[in-house]
């Protein structure tokens, strides 16, 4: 029988239209949804790519291997680097909620995030983390220090716009 974490992973992927491309993207989508009231129960800590939940990673594995509600395929970039593609066969869920979020709102929020490059979602989650979890006043300087190869001014502005569209404070 599926546990709460497995069910939530499946619900998030269903709300994403049945597919989420990338481990980092999935982690950051769930982190940002958590800040918006998902109430997943997953705890996050800062890792190389920003907020990360080992519990979420384990729930994804359980959803794949035990109840088979989530499938992970491997795609390859033009440079031959592998990436994960998470999918579920149920793309027409009639669930009223995704975690504690209303399903329609969760779908809307996830679509906003899916429309962005993975690096923009990563930066948005990291900005939120630095500002609200680590309470760093000059989060922009810290972001550029931690993510020097990714955090250019254009991508930071895109991440700030995403946070604004999600109604997560960036000021």
């Amino acid at each position: 029988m599926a546990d709460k974490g497995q069910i939530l992973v499946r619900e998030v992927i269903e709300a994403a239209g049945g597919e989420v491309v990338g481990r980092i993207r999935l982690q950051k989508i769930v982190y940002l949804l958590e800040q918006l009231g998902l109430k997943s129960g997953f705890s996050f800590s800062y890792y190389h790519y920003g907020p990360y939940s080992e519990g979420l990673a384990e729930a994804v594995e359980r959803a794949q291997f035990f109840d088979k509600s989530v499938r992970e395929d491997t795609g390859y970039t033009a440079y031959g680097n592998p990436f994960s593609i998470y999918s579920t066969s149920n793309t027409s869920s009639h669930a009223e909620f995704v975690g504690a979020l209303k399903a329609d709102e969760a779908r809307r929020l996830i679509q906003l995030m899916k429309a962005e490059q993975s690096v923009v979602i990563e930066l948005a989650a990291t900005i939120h983390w630095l500002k609200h979890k680590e309470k760093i006043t000059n989060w922009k300087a810290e972001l550029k220090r931690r993510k020097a190869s990714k955090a250019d001014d254009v991508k930071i502005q895109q991440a700030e716009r995403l946070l604004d569209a999600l109604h997560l404070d960036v000021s």
Side-chain angles (χ1 to χ4, degrees), residues 20-23 72-78 80-86:
V20 174
V21 177
R23 289 179 183 195
E72 180 182 11
D73 293 304
T74 303
Y76 295 90
T77 67
N81 297 321
F83 59 89
S84 294
I85 304 166
Y86 298 104

Side-chain angles (χ1 to χ4, degrees), residues 6 9 12 31 35 51 60-61 68-69 71 73 78 81-82 93 103 107 119 121 123 125 130 140 149 156:
Q6 290 168 253
V9 166
V12 167
Y31 171 78
Q35 307 319 302
V60 169
E61 288 184 18
K68 309 283 191 224
S69 63
R71 179 177 168 162
D73 293 304
N81 297 321
S93 172
R107 281 190 285 275
V119 68
I121 300 169
L123 292 174
L130 293 173
K140 195 176 283 190
S149 65
I156 291 171

Side-chain angles (χ1 to χ4, degrees), residues 25-42:
R25 182 182 295 265
L26 181 60
Q27 284 275 339
K28 301 326 170 226
I29 286 173
V30 173
Y31 171 78
L32 291 169
L33 289 175
E34 186 70 18
Q35 307 319 302
L36 294 160
L38 183 66
K39 297 185 181 177
S40 67
F42 296 127

